[in-house]
Every structure is written in structure tokens, then in C-alpha cells.
Amino acid sequence: MSVPHDITATTPANDENELERLLRLSVTEAAYRPAFYQTLLEATVFVLGDAGQQDDVVSEEITAGSELNLLHWEKQDGSSIIPFFSSLEVLERAAAGESPDQQGFVALPARVLFEMTQGEELFLNPKSEYGKELYPSEITMLLNTGGLNAPAELVLDAESQLLIGQPEEYPSAMVDALTTLFSQKKPVRRAFLALIHDKAVDEQPNLLVGVEADGSEAEIDALIREAGNVASETSPDDLPVDFCIVNEKERGISHYLISHTQPFYQRKWGSWLRNIIPSASIS
């Protein structure tokens, strides 16, 4: 079956599940892409084919070593993809009109599907309003890091000569995307923007995002990974973006960001307090 490049709308928004909601939002807003990829990795998805069963199978017990006969579809350029779907309803709409022997399906964890089809090109929800083509390199990165970019950690020593200031051209799209992301993350207190240049490491300055956040080291590391993915997709002219943790008790970069810049994001305490403080009446 051929997969068209022009995709028409067929999925009503009010019928969408969480994966479909995040897919729709991530099309235009990079801030939702980390959550989309994480949800995708944890989701159960549907593929056309069979596992040697007599009837349709919905199973969480399929592993990367299982034997599956997966149906391939052909794109307009002649290349082959494996279609997979976020729900049985989306699968049935996409496969409408196919011959009965192509209607078998298997449900399995998306991570298992990715592991057992490495090297293949996959397509989530083809023939729907919102779809996502996944190339082998993307799938490998997803399995390895949970995202599409793996941040590298740089430790600055005491002799590092850093120039720090403000960018001449404000990266509005990146800041807007990060603001949307941070507003969904309760641990983030504030976020700052600067331009930093370590001449011993980089020929050109990098954008620097300082994040002040609560939480464990693991939680903050996960937050920085998500923010890094958002920044890498929205930075102007693909300018590199560095991240650092801001602590008001420290000197150096933290002191500069807190004392000499205004945060582009600041947690609104009122919205959280309304959720945790019970209402009371005064008599």
C-alpha cells in the first residue's frame, strides 16, 4: 500500500488519547516534543501483521526476540516503511479498504517494536492528520537516551577564561518554547538567558540558559535533557546552547545571571498554592 506525502485530517481531537494529543501539540510547539517521545516510548502501539496467532492478539508479553510478521507499506518515492498506530481506531481508519488478509494486528510496547525493527524506517499514524516518520538513527537515539539529542557534560576548571554577556539578537522562539516547557515543570523556579564564550573551547559564543530548580540530581538531569532537546530544535541558526544550574549561594556564572539579568521565566507561586492550600471561611 502507498503512503501519501499529503496527509488529510481524519482524527477528531476529542477522540485522541494522550500520545495523540502530544503528537498534535509537538507538530507546532517544540516544548511538547520531549513529553511526546517519552510517552511514545512508554506506550502500547498497534502494528499490522501477525505473530503466528489464529486470532487478533493484544499482548504486552511480546519481546524483542519474538517473531512477528509485520506489514510494510510503500511510500510515493518507492521506499518502504513499517506503519504503527497510537490506537486501534486510528489503525482501522488507516487500513480501511485493504484486503481482509491484511487486517490482522498485534499490540505491543513501542519500545519493543523499536528494538526488534532497528534499521527499519517506521511511521506513526500514516494517513492521519498528524503523523511522525521515524528514521533508524532517530530510533537508536530514542532507545539510547530517551530523546533525540544526548547532552554532553562540560566541567569548567578554575583557570577557564569565560566571557559572558547578553545576545544582540534575542532568541524569541527558543525562549518561548522553553517557557512553555518550564511552565509544565513544577521544580523550575527561574530561568535566565546569557551569551557565553570560552575561547579555549569554542570559536563562537554559545547561548547559555541558567536554570534554578528544586529536586534530586536525577530529576534535574532529566529536566536539563528535556530542555536541551527543546533548545536544540529552536535555537536561532542552530546556535549551540549550554545549560547550567543556578544557585544563588554560588559566585561566578550563578552570581552574574541572578544579579545582572532578568529571568525570562519565573514560577508563579499562586497557581501552585491554589492547589495545595485548602479554602477557609472567616466567621
Side-chain angles (χ1 to χ4, degrees):
M1 176 178 180
S2 295
V3 179
H5 289 295
D6 296 327
I7 302 174
T8 57
T10 58
T11 306
N14 58 353
D15 289 342
E16 64 190 4
N17 59 31
E18 181 64 6
L19 178 59
E20 292 156 3
R21 184 185 76 87
L22 291 170
L23 173 60
R24 171 174 55 83
L25 292 172
S26 69
V27 169
T28 56
E29 298 189 58
Y32 291 96
R33 288 170 195 165
F36 162 71
Y37 288 123
Q38 188 59 47
T39 302
L40 174 60
L41 281 173
E42 297 172 355
T44 295
V45 296
F46 296 80
V47 291
L48 291 165
D50 64 76
Q53 73 279 6
Q54 296 298 318
D55 301 306
D56 293 344
V57 170
V58 177
S59 174
E60 294 284 352
E61 298 179 357
I62 295 174
T63 67
S66 300
E67 183 175 342
L68 289 179
N69 301 315
L70 299 180
L71 187 66
H72 288 65
W73 283 1
E74 183 180 323
K75 297 198 303 182
Q76 289 184 345
D77 62 6
S79 61
S80 174
I81 58 101
I82 296 175
F84 70 109
F85 303 90
S86 54
S87 68
L88 185 56
E89 292 75 18
V90 175
L91 179 151
E92 289 174 339
R93 284 194 291 266
E98 292 300 299
S99 59
D101 61 348
Q102 294 181 333
Q103 292 299 310
F105 70 89
V106 178
L108 74 167
R111 184 182 294 272
V112 171
L113 175 64
F114 295 159
E115 290 172 348
M116 66 194 309
T117 59
Q118 288 192 64
E120 298 269 13
E121 190 173 321
L122 278 67
F123 203 125
L124 173 63
N125 291 355
K127 300 180 67 180
S128 296
E129 181 179 5
Y130 300 101
K132 168 61 180 168
E133 196 164 4
L134 292 166
Y135 298 98
S137 59
E138 291 179 294
I139 292 171
T140 298
M141 184 70 76
L142 278 174
L143 291 173
N144 290 340
T145 70
L148 293 185
N149 291 284
E153 183 174 355
L154 175 64
V155 179
L156 300 176
D157 57 42
E159 298 181 357
S160 296
Q161 299 293 319
L162 300 177
L163 300 176
I164 187 168
Q166 288 297 302
E168 292 183 3
E169 296 184 8
Y170 194 73
S172 299
M174 186 189 81
V175 167
D176 289 346
L178 288 173
T179 298
T180 300
L181 174 68
F182 293 152
S183 67
Q184 303 171 57
K185 304 294 182 181
K186 186 177 179 180
V188 180
R189 293 183 179 181
R190 292 183 290 179
F192 303 84
L193 177 71
L195 198 66
I196 190 169
H197 192 191
D198 184 351
K199 292 185 176 181
V201 177
D202 300 306
E203 293 184 4
Q204 299 295 328
N206 294 347
L207 289 169
L208 174 68
V209 176
V211 180
E212 183 182 31
D214 305 314
S216 66
E217 182 177 350
E219 290 171 333
I220 292 176
D221 285 347
L223 171 66
I224 295 301
R225 283 197 301 272
E226 290 190 32
N229 276 277
V230 171
S232 68
E233 295 192 38
T234 55
S235 67
D237 302 319
D238 294 325
L239 189 68
V241 183
D242 294 331
F243 284 81
C244 69
I245 302 302
V246 172
N247 188 327
E248 61 183 6
K249 297 179 180 180
E250 295 181 356
R251 304 291 296 173
I253 293 177
S254 288
H255 175 74
Y256 171 83
L257 292 173
I258 293 174
S259 301
H260 299 284
T261 69
Q262 291 293 322
F264 68 82
Y265 170 79
Q266 185 157 353
R267 181 168 61 192
K268 295 180 180 179
W269 283 100
S271 62
W272 298 113
L273 291 175
R274 282 195 296 272
N275 292 329
I276 62 176
I277 297 180
S279 59
S281 60
I282 300 177
S283 55

